[in-house]
Amino acid sequence: MPIPDFVASLRSRIGTDLLWLPGVSAVVRDDDGRLLLGRRADTGQWALPSGILDPGEEPAVGIVREVAEETAVVIEVTAVVGVFATPVITYPNGDRSAYLDTLFLGRPVSPAAAAGVRVADDESLEVGWFAPDDVPDDLAQSSRERLDLEREFLASPDRAALFART
């Protein structure tokens, strides 16, 4: 995974110390309910589109950018599912990071946008749409957890109450 320039600059000063970064992820479904996933180049696992916000970037704008960069699919954001902290991640090089992640729901802006799915950067080995009952077994645990949050969000009669949890 390429490290954003601003993170590399911070790392040059703080080494592998813990960084707290703003992240975004999305559950993107097409009109048939299929789920957009990418097989990550760093882990080989399938995962939801995600990424780090650029300095000053709005979260919804950032996830639209990340999905397009990773899958070539242009989406619109339809909801915010939640905002939560991730556990600390220690990368193979020793860097430690934790993320304040905003999880969005999204959909392709058009059927043509959905059909244009392809690997669009070096972060993914492959990308594709998956029927709800055909999600790959090697889906990243963090993506499974986000899909659980999506199900809970969609099933909640009082979605606003989900944001009030501690």
Side-chain angles (χ1 to χ4, degrees), residues 42-61:
D42 59 347
T43 66
Q45 291 184 304
W46 289 94
L48 297 172
S50 64
I52 299 170
L53 293 176
D54 291 334
E57 186 174 36
E58 294 289 332
V61 172

Side-chain angles (χ1 to χ4, degrees), residues 25 27 29 48 79-86 101-105 141-156 159 162-163 165:
S25 55
V27 176
R29 295 194 185 271
L48 297 172
V80 175
V81 173
V83 179
F84 53 91
T86 68
D101 192 72
T102 304
L103 175 60
F104 293 96
L105 297 184
Q141 182 61 33
S142 60
S143 291
R144 290 185 188 284
E145 293 165 0
R146 284 165 176 80
L147 290 172
D148 289 343
L149 291 171
E150 175 211 23
R151 279 189 287 283
E152 185 178 346
F153 175 82
L154 293 175
S156 173
R159 294 180 182 161
L162 294 172
F163 290 101
R165 281 202 248 155

Side-chain angles (χ1 to χ4, degrees), residues 129-147:
W129 294 101
F130 294 86
D133 59 349
D134 196 29
V135 173
D137 290 335
D138 60 343
L139 184 66
Q141 182 61 33
S142 60
S143 291
R144 290 185 188 284
E145 293 165 0
R146 284 165 176 80
L147 290 172

Side-chain angles (χ1 to χ4, degrees), residues 2-108:
I3 297 173
D5 290 342
F6 79 95
V7 174
S9 176
L10 287 169
R11 287 284 178 213
S12 73
R13 292 188 285 270
I14 67 164
T16 61
D17 286 353
L18 180 63
L19 272 179
W20 176 248
L21 296 166
V24 289
S25 55
V27 176
V28 177
R29 295 194 185 271
D30 68 7
D31 290 341
D32 296 323
R34 294 180 307 162
L35 179 65
L36 181 61
L37 297 173
R39 185 183 291 274
R40 295 177 56 99
D42 59 347
T43 66
Q45 291 184 304
W46 289 94
L48 297 172
S50 64
I52 299 170
L53 293 176
D54 291 334
E57 186 174 36
E58 294 289 332
V61 172
I63 194 58
V64 169
R65 174 186 54 76
E66 286 289 344
V67 172
E69 285 178 0
E70 294 176 13
T71 69
V73 175
V74 178
I75 68 162
E76 62 182 350
V77 168
T78 59
V80 175
V81 173
V83 179
F84 53 91
T86 68
V88 173
I89 299 168
T90 302
Y91 294 96
N93 68 355
D95 289 352
R96 295 177 342 134
S97 298
Y99 300 89
L100 180 64
D101 192 72
T102 304
L103 175 60
F104 293 96
L105 297 184
R107 66 175 176 231

